Amino acid sequence: MDGLGPFERYEEKLIRAGLAAAGETLLLGAATPPVVPSAPPHPRQSPAGEGGAPSAPGERGGMIWNRADSLTTTLTNAARRLGRGAILAAIPPEPCRSIVRCLAAAPEGVIRPQDFETRVFLTDLPVWKTGGEEELTTRLERRRAVVAADGMIVATAKRELETAIVIYSAVSFAVFVKFFLDLLPRPGQRRAPDETTAALAAKIRSQLDRPPRGDPPPEATTPLPVGPFATETAIRAAIAATGRRTVATGLVNSSFGNISYRRNDELFITGRGRALDDLEGGIVVVPLGGPAPRDAGASTELPAHRRIVLETPYRAVLHGHPPFCVILSLDCREYDCPARGDCHRFCPRERRIAGHAVVSGEAGGGPHGLDRAVPPAVRETGAAIVHGHGVFTAGREDFRDAFRLLEELETTCRRLFFEKLLNNDGASGAPSGGSATSQPREAATP
Ligand SMILES: [Zn+2]
Ligand SMILES: [Zn+2]
């Protein structure tokens, strides 16, 4: 259509998504010629452990790169030794670049974020200090990504560039959350951030508060369709429009999140591994009762979506990972919680942010699946904040309320976060409460 090759498509996509910067290092390497990105593979199907087992990419270990660069030999050699068939190495745009530099400068040599993306995809983030092949190979042996002191993120996958892009997105999200979470003081740790860190935080805040230059993209302002939707075409269009708008507004990263809509005994839901802003043709229909064979093609959060539409008055569900919601959800002051350390799976303490319940649970189903905790919270206020993970919001007939709630929640969480920072809230070790939990607000009014 536009005559772009697959590499150019990926570059364009990364830059448009704000994950890479034009004119900066942006290297895409593949052991086999990449195909035009359209239907992505299933990067979420193998959440952990891809790093271990070697397999031979390209017969002689060669790699095709999107451009010539002095780094590609090192990257190619490391990939060959590790059996990785896809690499994305790039310097992200601000503020991510400065955040990576700041975190990578810590003496430990490993960054340990606590969010969902890290738990599922990364474990932790080793710092590649020397720029050398040996060190890179060692650090990537049991990990899918590393970061470098100059701000570069190197993400790898066994085969697919799409998967490397998801890993890269996970890193850029994880470092953002980690950077801001670390700024909040904790008991016994009154240390104020050093000058550089504080200055960087202030700079990022002013960037976040500043309205973007120029007109917003049309996807960010197009009104969402008005429901209820009766036809399959209308449902698919509404889901796709909601995904595009949520990403275009800058609320979430397109690599994570899912959307569903109930029609009678069917659930329309985003397909597994689909980017949130590219859902045309990426929506599957599963029976509401489930489980069913077609479940395999649906988002991993299908169990939660199913239960929300079955157990609440809502039929439109939006799930995404807005960063400040995630940051505040991780800032738990229940220091004596008996589940401390495991609170992302099950936490007996009740917490609220902006009037909405913070719940725990693992992605997908299972004994600690978030499908258990999310529906009651959604029934109560229209939204649930999942500890360290993201937000589920819902609407009765269409996605307008779900979108509005997610947007309001992220705006509120950002404001509450900076209030906490200014107030040095929590440095005294208050057992619970704080500004984030003290402001019950209007529940969803679908
Ligand atoms: Zn999620
Ligand atoms: Zn807890």
Side-chain angles (χ1 to χ4, degrees):
M1 287 178 295
D2 48 16
L4 293 178
F7 276 135
E8 287 84 356
R9 289 279 183 89
Y10 282 121
E11 287 182 20
E12 193 261 339
K13 226 173 115 177
L14 284 159
I15 291 167
R16 187 163 36 87
L19 289 166
E24 275 294 351
T25 304
L26 170 50
L27 297 172
L28 295 157
T32 48
V35 289
V36 173
S38 55
H42 303 160
R44 283 171 228 200
Q45 255 173 340
S46 53
E50 191 180 303
S55 70
E59 285 318 305
R60 291 188 313 281
M63 262 199 158
I64 309 155
W65 289 93
N66 61 328
R67 63 182 70 166
D69 190 281
S70 56
L71 255 185
T72 56
T73 308
T74 305
L75 296 173
T76 301
N77 291 344
R80 191 194 59 230
R81 291 167 64 181
L82 294 161
R84 312 282 163 89
I87 297 189
L88 163 53
I91 296 197
E94 295 296 356
C96 189
R97 175 192 324 186
S98 295
I99 287 176
V100 172
R101 283 181 183 168
C102 175
L103 295 177
E108 207 191 348
V110 184
I111 301 167
R112 301 184 201 280
Q114 303 169 40
D115 58 280
F116 165 82
E117 273 80 352
T118 300
R119 282 199 310 276
V120 174
F121 296 106
L122 309 171
T123 311
D124 56 31
L125 272 172
V127 180
W128 179 27
K129 288 181 175 168
T130 61
E133 180 189 319
E134 279 308 318
E135 192 207 354
L136 178 64
T137 310
T138 309
R139 297 214 171 247
L140 276 173
E141 228 154 46
R142 311 195 128 269
R143 297 289 180 267
R144 297 158 136 192
V146 297
V147 295
D150 62 356
M152 182 183 291
I153 298 171
V154 182
T156 68
K158 206 180 253 180
R159 279 182 297 275
E160 309 285 351
L161 261 178
E162 289 277 358
T163 310
I165 291 173
V166 171
I167 303 298
Y168 180 95
S169 309
V171 174
S172 81
F173 182 81
V175 294
F176 188 92
V177 168
K178 161 89 174 151
F179 176 78
F180 281 102
L181 185 63
D182 283 357
L183 292 178
L184 291 176
R186 267 141 229 290
Q189 218 190 329
R190 256 204 91 98
R191 181 177 57 87
D194 61 77
E195 253 174 65
T196 326
T197 309
L200 176 57
K203 193 173 140 199
I204 298 172
R205 184 189 184 181
S206 74
Q207 285 163 355
L208 291 170
D209 288 344
R210 198 182 311 140
R213 261 179 296 160
D215 293 331
E219 298 86 1
T221 50
T222 313
L224 292 176
V226 179
F229 311 114
T231 68
E232 190 164 334
T233 314
I235 296 170
R236 288 176 186 275
I239 291 177
T242 305
R244 274 196 305 271
R245 179 140 186 214
T246 313
V247 173
T249 322
L251 291 168
V252 301
N253 178 316
S254 71
S255 292
F256 310 101
N258 26 74
I259 306 177
S260 71
Y261 190 82
R262 174 187 184 171
R263 183 181 69 174
N264 304 321
D265 291 335
E266 293 174 319
L267 187 71
F268 290 72
I269 183 163
T270 43
R272 190 163 298 210
R274 294 298 306 213
L276 214 52
D277 57 351
D278 185 20
L279 291 176
E280 261 86 11
I283 294 159
V284 299
V285 189
V286 297
L288 202 54
R294 269 178 288 161
D295 290 5
S299 152
T300 43
E301 298 300 1
L302 170 62
H305 286 261
R306 245 187 198 133
R307 287 184 67 165
I308 291 170
V309 299
L310 280 168
E311 297 171 20
T312 76
Y314 303 106
R315 64 156 92 176
V317 181
L318 171 60
H319 167 57
H321 301 182
F324 282 95
C325 292
V326 174
I327 293 164
L328 279 199
S329 79
L330 285 166
D331 182 44
C332 176
R333 305 294 166 101
E334 302 278 341
Y335 296 106
D336 59 345
C337 174
R340 194 107 189 140
D342 248 340
C343 292
H344 62 281
R345 294 200 299 156
F346 52 90
C347 176
R349 296 289 168 83
E350 194 180 301
R351 285 172 64 211
R352 281 178 187 270
I353 296 174
H356 300 284
V358 180
V359 300
S360 299
E362 290 175 317
H368 296 301
L370 53 79
D371 60 314
R372 291 159 175 258
V374 165
V378 170
R379 192 189 311 123
E380 193 193 354
T381 66
I385 299 167
V386 185
H387 181 105
H389 177 158
V391 168
F392 284 82
T393 57
R396 281 187 197 257
E397 306 292 3
D398 56 43
F399 292 99
R400 291 175 300 163
D401 282 320
F403 173 80
R404 182 184 53 76
L405 250 175
L406 190 139
E407 189 176 40
E408 279 178 14
L409 249 176
E410 178 64 355
T411 310
T412 306
C413 284
R414 197 164 94 196
R415 180 175 55 74
L416 291 173
F417 172 85
F418 286 106
E419 278 173 22
K420 275 183 171 230
L421 200 57
L422 276 177
N423 299 338
N424 225 0
D425 179 11
S428 62
S432 66
S435 57
T437 54
S438 63
Q439 304 190 1
R441 49 178 277 287
E442 188 193 353
T445 49

